[in-house]
């Protein structure tokens, strides 16, 4: 059984999500703010965290960043009314693995939670990946371009890991979004392009040639020019 902690200061939403997940067979616990959530996470093990962004005392961003800093690998689905690309980037960079905008359909919440749990179980399939001098280690979280060590945010790391698992293979936008984010953000949303730009800047910071190539009208490919 999957253990879920739901954190939200809205009693009605909290009750609705709890009923929905319990009906689908999840073991559900709840917290009404960030402090309550951190206390429960310290005392008990959970498989996935559903976390509201805007809360009193300690907000969802602070909770996600704290869990990331102490290297707690629990998958996080962040709930929020904020829906701009910049907000999504901020939420994902804080340590969240997925992002759901309020109001949302219960079926979409369930689908995303199942995808998060599934990806978490598959996450350790390859500890070390490398291509053309670019290397990544899932255990140490180290990323290198030849001898140059650099840091990635959690979502940048996941994106590069997926591409390193498929070097020289053309990956469609849909494939990347479904694997790394768990769903397709939509045709007008350019969050994938934003993160590709971040990765290019970091992987080419030492003047190295570009490895992440754009395949116009399709997606991206990791290959030498």
């Amino acid at each position: 059984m999957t253990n879920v902690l739901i954190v939200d200061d809205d009693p009605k939403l909290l009750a609705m999500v709890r009923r929905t997940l319990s009906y689908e067979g999840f073991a559900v616990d709840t917290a009404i703010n960030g402090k309550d959530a951190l206390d429960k996470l310290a005392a008990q093990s959970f498989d996935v965290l559903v976390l509201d962004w805007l809360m009193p005392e300690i907000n969802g961003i602070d909770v996600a960043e704290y869990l990331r800093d102490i290297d707690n690998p629990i998958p996080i689905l962040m709930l929020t009314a904020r829906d701009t690309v910049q907000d999504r980037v901020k939420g994902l960079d804080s340590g969240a693995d997925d992002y759901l905008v309020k109001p949302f359909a219960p079926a979409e919440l369930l689908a995303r939670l199942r995808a998060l749990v599934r990806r978490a179980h598959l996450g350790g399939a390859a500890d070390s990946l490398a291509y053309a001098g670019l290397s990544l280690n899932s255990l140490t979280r180290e990323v290198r371009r030849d001898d140059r060590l650099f840091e990635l945010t959690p979502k940048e790391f996941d994106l590069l890991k997926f591409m390193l698992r498929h070097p020289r293979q053309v990956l469609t936008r849909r494939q990347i979004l479904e694997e790394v984010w768990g769903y397709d953000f939509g045709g007008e949303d350019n969050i994938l392009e934003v993160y590709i730009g971040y990765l290019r800047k970091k992987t080419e910071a030492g003047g190295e040639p570009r490895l992440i190539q754009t395949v116009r009208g399709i997606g991206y490919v990791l290959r030498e020019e």
Side-chain angles (χ1 to χ4, degrees):
M1 183 176 289
T2 301
N3 295 310
V4 183
L5 178 61
I6 312 165
V7 189
D8 201 296
D9 63 337
D10 182 341
K12 291 183 179 179
L13 186 143
L14 201 62
M16 181 275 287
V17 174
R18 180 168 197 158
R19 283 196 307 270
T20 299
L21 298 186
S22 297
Y23 182 79
E24 293 295 327
F26 290 85
V28 181
D29 198 355
T30 62
I32 59 173
N33 55 51
K35 182 180 183 304
D36 188 19
L38 291 175
D39 288 343
K40 292 194 173 187
L41 288 164
Q44 183 180 346
S45 176
F46 293 92
D47 298 303
V48 64
L49 176 62
V50 179
L51 182 63
D52 185 31
W53 180 328
L54 296 176
M55 295 183 293
E57 297 186 42
I58 303 175
N59 63 39
I61 293 290
D62 292 338
V63 172
E65 289 178 341
Y66 174 79
L67 294 175
R68 181 190 66 193
D69 289 344
I70 66 171
D71 199 24
N72 186 323
I74 183 171
I76 299 173
L77 172 61
M78 187 163 286
L79 303 178
T80 180
R82 298 171 179 263
D83 62 355
T84 68
V85 172
Q86 291 76 19
D87 288 329
R88 289 176 178 176
V89 169
K90 183 176 180 180
L92 294 168
D93 281 352
S94 73
D97 298 274
D98 200 355
Y99 190 106
L100 184 57
V101 177
K102 300 177 183 179
F104 54 84
E108 184 176 9
L109 173 67
L110 285 166
R112 296 197 189 189
L113 283 180
R114 289 173 178 142
L116 281 181
V117 173
R118 185 167 59 249
R119 294 206 306 273
H121 289 163
L122 295 174
D127 294 335
S128 297
L129 298 166
Y131 172 74
L134 185 61
S135 62
L136 172 152
N137 188 295
S138 295
L139 297 180
T140 64
R141 307 290 291 187
E142 289 185 345
V143 184
R144 296 177 181 273
R145 183 80 188 261
D146 296 321
D147 294 328
R148 182 172 61 84
L149 182 68
F150 57 96
E151 293 185 358
L152 297 179
T153 66
K155 194 55 64 178
E156 291 168 357
F157 188 92
D158 292 344
L159 175 56
L160 183 59
K161 182 176 180 178
F162 179 54
M163 300 194 78
L164 278 169
R165 282 168 48 199
H166 303 279
R168 298 181 299 276
Q169 178 181 334
V170 176
L171 302 169
T172 66
R173 292 186 81 259
R174 184 178 182 86
Q175 283 178 302
I176 298 171
L177 288 166
E178 288 185 349
E179 175 67 22
V180 179
W181 279 271
Y183 69 104
D184 192 336
F185 274 90
E188 298 302 319
D189 199 321
N190 67 336
I191 197 165
L192 176 56
E193 286 71 23
V194 170
Y195 273 89
I196 289 290
Y198 290 163
L199 274 185
R200 283 173 170 165
K201 184 176 180 179
K202 292 183 178 182
T203 58
E204 301 167 16
E208 301 93 343
R210 175 158 296 178
L211 288 178
I212 302 174
Q213 316 293 344
T214 299
V215 182
R216 294 193 180 278
I218 300 177
Y220 299 94
V221 58
L222 186 70
R223 68 183 175 206
E224 296 178 281
E225 290 182 311

